[in-house]
Amino acid sequence: MTTYAPETFPRAWLPEGVELKTWERIEPWYKKLLAMPVDTPERLEEWLTAAGELNAAVGQEGTSRYVAMTCQTDDPAREAAYLEFVREIEPKLKPYLNQVRNRFLDAPGRAGLPADRYRVFARSQENRRALYREANIPRETRLAELEQQYQKAIGAMTVEFQGQERTLVQLSPFLESTDRDVRRQAWTLAAGRRLADRDLLDGLFDEMRALRLEIAREAGFDDYVAYAYRNRERFDYGPEQARQFHDAIEKAVVPLASAIHRERKERLGVDSLRPWDLATDPLGRPPLKPFEDVDRLAEGCEAIFREVAPELGAQFAFMRERGLLDLANRKGKAPGGYQTTYEADRLPFIFMNAVGVDGDVRTLLHEGGHAFHTLAARGEPLAAYRESPLEFCEVASMTMELFGTGAKDPFYDAADSGRSHRKLLEEIVTILPWIATVDAFQHWIYDNPGHSRDDRRAAWRDLVARFGGDVDWSGLEDARDHSWHKQLHIFLYPFYYIEYGVAQLGALQIWKRSLTDRAGAVASYREALSIGGARPLPQLFEAAGARFAFDRETIAPLMDAVGEELSRLAP
């Protein structure tokens, strides 16, 4: 069996084991860094190595505290340690990071660097300098505090169901029940629990929105949309392409999503498709139950990774051995799932909330794709290039979900494996309109900065009608109009959501190729991951064998391929 022994990267400048837990320990190192000579290309490259080591070490301290806090949001010590970093270290760090950025941009030795090698890096640094305002640091600190409050509020939400206190995530399996009344009760309880905190969540968002508008104006922008696109370094597309994406989804994807909804309604034998009817098996079969405990989840996904490529399975086995996974849901754990990187160690960490449903397998395959991306690029000398644009990061993860459907299934027999495969494809079709809904909503929010909460609910309602397919919300209007509250990206990562849609188009193109050339598709995928962020976004897509485009001409053939695959699979 293939094993993985990660390469080590000894530091060239920052001493191993140096402690950087307080600002008093961190600041002297930045002063030393800024005093280093950068008058020749050789010295500048040595300086870039030193800067990368220091930034990675400090970044890892913050990441470690964030991971600890999200793993147990109700632990006061973890919360205090994370907030200490946010309040006491990050505000003092940002001016130094700006000086480091300026040191590179203004360095006499920069003119002698290879232009092609540093073009993407320099573009990003110039953009960061243009956006930086010291006056925004207190606003950014307050935003981080509000974001933590949102996560804490969501993580604390529980309900009594069938005699037990359960988190909202732990209600998910009941939405797959074949008993419609059980599904309705579980869905209604979750929706009602979120509605109970609607004023709190709206209040948090209102303050976040106001701060973001102030940040944009301070940086010299008339509106937050333009600032957000620059802040997210969207150099290769803009709001016009986003609108093109929305229109293409409406015309090329919503019809297929609506057809899936109509077929589901007919198979369920119901008069109308309600929100609690979307996850259950339409033929009344018991919910897919891929595993009983997270160890079995990890074992099964490792087997899938090994079949895609033996080296990937070995890398995942290494992560398991090193404790780089936290998979099980529990009370007090932050919602959602993520993969983050311990930058100094150049190692990934996966966080999720598994409860034993089919979607948990997809989540771990997804986050595993991110982890393999981190490991593929960890040998890149320039620290900034060990990360890729978010649109391509998600290609790494979404493609791995699709690759998983082509591997021998360790969780199910042939019939249930087909059900799981079909479910994934249907979810891709239905998630694309949701992505368009969330992205269009964020554009509306910041295109209309003076809106009221009633205006916001009306805008969301209109978008649900545009993209929501054939779901009946009658009698549930309040829950529908506040359903955006569950989308953490709107609160925590403004304008970070269309990336999933753009990436899904890339992943579907790679998957489509894999249907006839699996080995070639996997090889191109892995080669593209190894590039990291050293090339512009369109070139990363090209390296993976995909086209970077938002138009109907790109999306429609992919929906045709998905439709053909769905027609091949048994219901």
Side-chain angles (χ1 to χ4, degrees):
M1 181 179 289
T2 303
T3 58
Y4 176 67
E7 183 182 356
T8 58
F9 301 94
R11 291 174 180 168
W13 180 74
L14 188 67
E16 297 288 349
V18 65
E19 198 223 55
L20 299 173
K21 294 186 177 297
T22 64
W23 181 245
E24 290 69 28
R25 295 290 184 92
I26 294 170
E27 185 178 30
W29 288 103
Y30 278 97
K31 289 182 176 179
K32 290 178 184 179
L33 178 70
L34 291 166
M36 290 175 65
V38 291
D39 53 332
T40 68
E42 294 76 19
R43 285 177 166 176
L44 181 55
E45 290 196 306
E46 290 175 1
W47 180 86
L48 283 169
T49 297
E53 291 176 358
L54 180 56
N55 288 340
V58 176
Q60 182 159 312
E61 179 64 30
T63 297
S64 298
R65 297 189 194 193
Y66 177 79
V67 167
M69 181 273 293
T70 57
C71 287
Q72 205 63 49
T73 62
D74 54 4
D75 182 334
R78 298 184 187 207
E79 178 182 23
Y82 172 67
L83 290 176
E84 178 190 30
F85 193 87
V86 167
R87 293 169 175 166
E88 303 300 326
I89 295 177
E90 283 188 340
K92 297 169 183 173
L93 176 63
K94 287 176 180 178
Y96 276 97
L97 293 179
N98 187 56
Q99 291 182 57
V100 170
R101 183 163 43 243
N102 292 339
R103 183 79 166 155
F104 166 75
L105 292 173
D106 300 332
R110 184 183 165 196
L113 294 178
D116 286 345
R117 166 66 174 160
Y118 287 95
R119 181 172 289 113
V120 173
F121 176 68
R123 179 178 67 174
S124 175
Q125 297 302 298
E126 288 163 355
N127 184 61
R128 293 286 105 198
R129 173 153 75 177
L131 294 181
Y132 177 79
R133 298 292 187 278
E134 195 160 335
N136 274 334
I137 292 175
R139 298 181 179 110
E140 292 164 352
T141 301
R142 178 57 182 158
L143 272 173
E145 294 172 352
L146 293 169
E147 290 159 4
Q148 190 271 339
Q149 288 177 34
Y150 170 81
Q151 295 200 75
K152 186 175 181 180
I154 297 294
M157 289 183 180
T158 63
V159 296
E160 287 289 329
F161 184 66
Q162 295 186 347
Q164 293 183 35
E165 182 185 27
R166 303 178 193 267
T167 67
L168 302 195
V169 175
Q170 288 168 343
L171 290 176
S172 300
F174 297 100
L175 297 177
E176 298 187 29
S177 171
T178 56
D179 186 327
R180 198 181 194 199
D181 194 51
V182 169
R183 299 198 304 269
R184 180 190 60 77
Q185 290 177 39
W187 187 93
T188 303
L189 276 172
R193 180 62 188 86
R194 281 190 291 267
L195 282 173
D197 280 356
R198 77 187 85 178
D199 289 337
L200 168 66
L201 298 177
D202 267 326
L204 287 172
F205 186 77
D206 285 338
E207 188 174 351
M208 291 175 179
R209 176 189 58 171
L211 285 165
R212 287 168 184 153
L213 294 171
E214 290 176 13
I215 287 170
R217 293 185 185 114
E218 183 69 37
F221 290 81
D222 293 332
D223 64 272
Y224 185 74
V225 178
Y227 171 83
Y229 271 69
R230 283 283 299 277
N231 190 46
R232 294 215 162 271
E233 301 196 346
R234 291 180 178 172
F235 301 121
D236 301 298
Y237 66 101
E240 181 55 40
Q241 284 71 36
R243 285 188 286 271
Q244 187 182 48
F245 174 80
H246 305 157
D247 291 342
I249 295 297
E250 182 178 15
K251 293 179 174 65
V253 183
V254 170
L256 181 55
S258 296
I260 289 170
H261 284 161
R262 288 193 297 273
E263 186 177 76
R264 169 173 285 272
K265 181 179 73 172
E266 291 168 7
R267 287 177 174 158
L268 284 170
V270 296
D271 294 333
S272 63
L273 195 68
R274 305 288 268 167
W276 48 81
D277 294 325
L278 301 177
T280 190
D281 182 76
L283 297 182
R285 294 165 293 195
L288 290 168
K289 186 70 176 175
F291 60 91
E292 292 291 340
D293 59 71
V294 294
D295 287 339
R296 178 72 187 93
L297 170 64
E299 289 169 5
C301 285
E302 182 181 326
I304 292 174
F305 294 140
R306 284 191 184 276
E307 189 156 338
V308 174
E311 299 86 353
L312 300 182
Q315 289 174 6
F316 188 75
F318 167 81
M319 291 182 64
R320 293 180 67 196
E321 293 162 6
R322 287 286 296 267
L324 295 170
L325 311 171
D326 188 321
L327 306 182
N329 174 253
R330 57 184 172 269
K331 183 180 178 180
K333 192 173 183 181
Y338 64 78
Q339 181 269 320
T340 191
T341 301
Y342 292 121
E343 298 168 54
D345 296 333
R346 308 190 193 187
L347 293 176
F349 175 86
I350 292 176
F351 169 101
M352 60 178 287
N353 280 275
V355 290
V357 298
D358 184 65
D360 292 334
V361 177
R362 304 286 165 235
T363 298
L364 189 49
L365 293 176
H366 179 104
E367 303 302 344
H370 284 311
F372 301 140
H373 203 176
T374 294
L375 294 173
R378 69 190 301 268
E380 165 60 56
L382 188 60
Y385 284 170
R386 293 197 286 270
E387 298 180 2
S388 301
L390 291 168
E391 295 84 350
F392 193 71
C393 288
E394 297 300 337
V395 171
S397 56
M398 291 176 172
T399 302
M400 188 54 66
E401 293 183 60
L402 288 160
F403 279 162
T405 64
K408 182 179 178 182
D409 200 322
F411 296 104
Y412 304 119
D413 60 21
D416 282 351
S417 182
R419 283 178 62 191
S420 178
H421 185 181
R422 182 182 189 88
K423 186 176 180 182
L424 170 63
L425 294 178
E426 289 185 346
E427 286 175 353
I428 288 172
V429 174
T430 54
I431 195 65
L432 283 167
W434 176 257
I435 291 168
T437 303
V438 172
D439 188 65
F441 184 57
Q442 297 200 82
H443 276 86
W444 182 90
I445 284 171
Y446 295 105
D447 281 336
N448 298 274
H451 69 263
S452 67
R453 294 183 186 181
D454 285 341
D455 295 334
R456 194 159 63 214
R457 284 191 288 271
W460 179 254
R461 183 165 57 245
D462 290 344
L463 289 168
V464 171
R466 179 183 177 189
F467 294 109
D470 287 12
V471 179
D472 178 10
W473 288 89
S474 57
L476 307 168
E477 289 81 5
D478 209 15
R480 175 200 60 199
D481 295 350
H482 291 88
S483 58
W484 64 274
H485 281 170
K486 67 183 179 182
Q487 192 64 53
L488 62 84
H489 300 76
I490 298 173
F491 288 82
L492 306 186
Y493 315 113
F495 282 95
Y496 176 35
Y497 209 58
I498 194 174
E499 286 87 346
Y500 293 108
V502 175
Q504 190 69 80
L505 302 182
L508 284 170
Q509 291 177 72
I510 299 169
W511 165 77
K512 186 179 177 185
R513 177 186 175 187
S514 77
L515 298 177
T516 55
D517 179 19
R518 185 169 174 85
V522 171
S524 294
Y525 163 83
R526 295 190 65 199
E527 174 61 28
L529 298 194
S530 70
I531 297 169
R535 297 184 200 166
L537 189 53
Q539 292 182 27
L540 295 175
F541 269 67
E542 183 180 359
R547 179 171 172 252
F548 182 72
F550 301 72
D551 51 45
R552 190 176 180 182
E553 290 70 26
T554 299
I555 297 175
L558 297 175
M559 291 302 100
D560 290 342
V562 172
E564 290 172 10
E565 188 73 358
L566 287 172
S567 67
R568 184 187 67 79
L569 293 166

